[in-house]
Amino acid sequence: LTSRWLAKPIQELANASYEFSQGNLTKKVNIQGVKELTNLSQAFNYMAEELLTSLQALENMNNELENRVLIRTEELASAKDKAEVANQAKSTFLANMSHELRTPITSIRGYAETLLDGAIHDPSNASKFLEIIVQQADRLLAIISDLMSLAEIERDEAEQKVSVTLGDLSKVVEAAVEWCRSQAEEKQIVIEVEIAQPLLAQINSRLLEQALVNLLDNAITLSEPGTVVRVVEHWVFGEENIEVQDQG
């Protein structure tokens, strides 16, 4: 009789142990009568609850880690894409700047050689050629000045010296366009602006206006008379970009 009395709760503990081993930690053991077996069943239940809590905590931690890895992966992919765009833009800029530098230098050299070959003895032509040389020299100095300004901006940015505040991009664009308008009118060039108003962003207004003036100046210089220069906004990888487009 005693053996049967003990067999049932022991069998129940054995069944519960099997359930636990299969991952069913919600199984409860309820044994009454024998103090030692009652205590053991309570210990089983406590152990199952602790294991379940720990497993849930681990699962939550694992999910959080997976989310962090996913976010970091997306950030790295975005950074890679931005770096590629920046490298492409830098390559394009260097190619354009090389062309801009070569043009006045070639012109200066050509007219100087013409003068040395004898044109210097023709007062009318000599005066005209010298005026062209001066104009091209001024153009070359302007390009070099632009390069030095851009180099200064990049240096300050690398050293984190560039301070930014919340400002209206459209106002900065408007100021840069007004600065270059008379230059454009001399060549009958129309400057079209396609910028939302207001367009708020964290910016350094002075440096941004200077950069836009440089871009507009180059666009007007390289464009044929009677053409159009456009200033447009567009999004690239979640960031606002201002682009100066010309037909030169």
Side-chain angles (χ1 to χ4, degrees):
L1 182 61
T2 301
S3 176
R4 291 180 184 176
W5 184 53
L6 292 174
K8 184 177 179 180
I10 291 174
Q11 184 61 48
E12 188 173 345
L13 283 172
N15 293 338
S17 298
Y18 177 78
E19 291 288 337
F20 292 165
S21 69
Q22 298 301 307
N24 183 12
L25 298 177
T26 59
K27 172 72 175 178
K28 298 295 183 183
V29 183
N30 185 16
I31 298 176
Q32 302 294 331
V34 182
K35 181 179 179 181
E36 289 77 6
L37 293 179
T38 300
N39 292 340
L40 183 58
S41 68
Q42 291 174 350
F44 261 75
N45 292 335
Y46 177 76
M47 177 186 67
E49 290 175 359
E50 289 297 307
L51 282 172
L52 186 60
T53 301
S54 298
L55 288 173
Q56 288 175 342
L58 286 172
E59 184 177 358
N60 292 337
M61 186 181 298
N62 182 61
N63 291 336
E64 184 179 352
L65 287 173
E66 286 182 353
N67 288 334
R68 288 184 181 179
V69 169
L70 180 61
I71 292 172
R72 184 55 179 162
T73 301
E74 292 175 350
E75 289 176 348
L76 290 173
S78 177
K80 179 176 178 291
D81 291 338
K82 290 178 182 178
E84 289 177 352
V85 170
N87 287 335
Q88 181 60 42
K90 184 170 289 187
S91 297
T92 303
F93 171 78
L94 290 174
N96 292 338
M97 192 55 65
S98 175
H99 171 73
E100 288 195 42
L101 287 170
R102 190 180 297 112
T103 300
I105 290 173
T106 301
S107 181
I108 291 170
R109 180 175 179 177
Y111 283 107
E113 289 177 347
T114 301
L115 288 169
L116 290 173
D117 287 341
I120 194 170
H121 301 297
D122 182 348
S124 62
N125 281 332
S127 177
K128 182 173 66 175
F129 291 166
L130 287 171
E131 286 180 4
I132 294 173
I133 288 174
V134 170
Q135 290 173 358
Q136 294 301 317
D138 288 341
R139 180 181 177 186
L140 186 59
L141 285 174
I143 294 171
I144 293 173
S145 177
D146 291 347
L147 284 173
M148 292 178 66
S149 297
L150 290 172
E152 181 181 355
I153 292 171
E154 285 199 354
R155 185 186 67 246
D156 288 346
E157 185 176 14
E159 296 176 358
Q160 297 182 339
K161 291 182 179 179
V162 178
S163 59
V164 295
T165 55
L166 184 64
D168 187 352
L169 269 171
S170 64
K171 296 295 183 183
V172 178
V173 171
E174 182 180 333
V177 169
E178 285 302 316
W179 183 271
C180 299
R181 193 174 297 282
S182 61
Q183 179 189 358
E185 288 175 350
E186 288 179 3
K187 296 182 67 175
Q188 297 182 329
I189 290 175
V190 176
I191 303 177
E192 295 182 352
V193 179
E194 299 177 14
I195 304 290
Q197 294 184 354
L199 184 59
L200 300 179
Q202 293 291 334
I203 57 175
N204 183 302
S205 298
R206 180 182 65 83
L207 293 179
L208 181 58
E209 182 179 336
Q210 181 180 355
L212 285 171
V213 168
N214 290 340
L215 291 172
L216 284 167
D217 177 74
N218 290 336
I220 293 167
T221 301
L222 295 174
S223 295
E224 295 294 327
T227 55
V228 176
V229 171
R230 300 173 66 237
V231 184
V232 299
E233 63 165 307
H234 59 94
W235 285 86
V236 177
F237 301 116
E239 293 186 347
E240 187 70 43
N241 282 255
I242 303 298
E243 185 176 296
V244 176
Q245 302 173 346
D246 61 66
Q247 297 173 309

